[in-house]
Amino acid sequence: MNAEQLLFVVFSIGTIVSAASVIFVRNPVASAMSLVASFFFLAGIYVLLWAHTIAVLQILVYAGAIMVLFLFVIMLLSLTDTGPIAQLSPSRIAGAIATVALLAALVSVFRKLPSSDTIAWASDAGRVATFGTLKQLGAVMYTQWLFPFEAVSLLLLVAIVGAVVVAKSRI
Amino acid sequence: MNFTVVPTANYLILAAALFCLGMLGVLIRRNALVVFMCIELMLNAANLTFLAFARERGDTVGHISPFFIIAVAAAEAAVGLAIIISVFRNRGTVNIEEIQSMKH
């Protein structure tokens, strides 16, 4: 077992366990903290996939900015969640069964994929050295994907204005 | 240079498990905030799939999509949480079973 296999097992167990505790923990603050833990483990998985830049973004933007926003709202609303996490109802049971069926279908499909433990293009050392670096990501982003990049800035502006308009009682 | 790596299919199975956990949370939880967090989990499963295929194919464009998904998730979280605050102000609850009509 090499380092990547060992780290993959550790990070994937951490991701799944903390993602499950997001759902099955009653307190919303505990849910949010489990989600932060899940994002950190996922960032580890991203590094294993040679996506260092996205892993850093995941921690900065997701675990940092977005989850702080969530925690602010949870504490602002000061929710006291009593009672069971989920009452059994026909629609919930149907949802759970559908989820398990979807997971079984996806896993059975993915197990049929040709699984090779080498990467075909990795014999090219120069390509491996630049893959997923900020430099290469920026070069693609600011040439091929310039318009979507600018469109995202407009989307963020609209989201800021929209959030203020929706959340503020009197403008 | 040849690496022995974990096969891409294993990463895809992890992403499928993560997506299904998020979907389960959306379907069974009643707290709108937790439902929101589960949507973030599903978005992350999509990111993981993009990155797994990016490494398989050696294609940097597979890193651009997660970048945009993270940006859109930030915008979505801001607007969604604003809506939750507004609903809480009007109804006094974020339980999605008690919020069933559009009017207030």
Side-chain angles (χ1 to χ4, degrees):
Chain A
M1 196 181 231
N2 66 14
E4 184 184 347
Q5 286 160 331
L6 182 68
L7 287 172
F8 177 77
V9 170
V10 170
F11 286 144
S12 53
I13 289 174
T15 307
I16 295 296
V17 168
S18 46
S21 79
V22 172
I23 303 173
F24 296 114
V25 165
R26 174 168 302 149
N27 186 349
V29 177
S31 275
M33 294 320 287
S34 304
L35 193 57
V36 172
S38 180
F39 288 158
F40 270 93
F41 285 120
L42 259 179
I45 295 271
Y46 293 172
V47 172
L48 292 184
L49 284 169
W50 308 349
H52 320 91
T53 313
I54 302 293
V56 171
L57 273 180
Q58 167 92 357
I59 290 175
L60 281 181
V61 179
Y62 252 122
I66 297 183
M67 290 320 295
V68 166
L69 195 62
F70 267 93
L71 281 171
F72 263 123
V73 171
I74 291 169
M75 290 173 179
L76 198 66
L77 302 186
S78 66
L79 300 169
T80 48
D81 200 359
T82 53
I85 289 174
Q87 282 144 351
L88 282 183
S89 69
S91 65
R92 289 223 166 76
I93 295 169
I97 292 171
T99 310
V100 172
L102 176 68
L103 181 63
L106 286 173
V107 169
S108 69
V109 168
F110 290 150
R111 286 178 73 86
K112 287 198 172 65
L113 286 179
S115 95
S116 125
D117 57 0
T118 53
I119 302 285
W121 57 272
S123 50
D124 185 349
R127 221 172 138 195
V128 172
T130 57
F131 181 72
T133 55
L134 197 54
K135 185 180 175 186
Q136 202 192 13
L137 203 62
V140 177
M141 181 90 71
Y142 290 114
T143 53
Q144 266 179 283
W145 294 81
L146 185 61
F147 180 71
F149 182 76
E150 295 296 336
V152 162
S153 68
L154 191 65
L155 175 78
L156 287 171
L157 176 69
V158 171
I160 294 167
V161 176
V164 172
V165 169
V166 170
K168 207 163 167 15
S169 50
R170 282 185 307 278
I171 299 169
Chain B
M1 220 175 6
N2 259 318
F3 302 98
T4 308
V5 298
V6 177
T8 304
N10 292 18
Y11 288 101
L12 295 180
I13 290 171
L14 174 63
L18 203 58
F19 184 88
C20 288
L21 273 173
M23 182 175 150
L24 185 69
V26 169
L27 289 175
I28 71 171
R29 285 302 300 255
R30 297 170 305 158
N31 187 330
L33 281 162
V34 178
V35 169
F36 238 102
M37 292 183 211
C38 291
I39 293 174
E40 304 292 333
L41 274 181
M42 291 158 83
L43 286 171
N44 269 283
N47 278 351
L48 180 54
T49 310
F50 272 116
L51 293 175
F53 277 114
R55 189 185 66 165
E56 178 71 27
R57 294 169 48 81
D59 193 345
T60 312
V61 176
H63 289 187
I64 304 285
S65 299
F67 179 89
F68 285 129
I69 291 176
I70 289 174
V72 171
E76 170 248 330
V79 175
L81 291 172
I83 291 174
I84 288 178
I85 288 178
S86 162
V87 165
F88 185 79
R89 189 181 291 132
N90 285 330
R91 316 274 178 106
T93 180
V94 291
N95 185 336
I96 54 174
E97 281 178 350
E98 295 169 26
I99 308 167
Q100 289 180 332
S101 62
M102 295 281 282
K103 66 182 184 201
H104 60 271

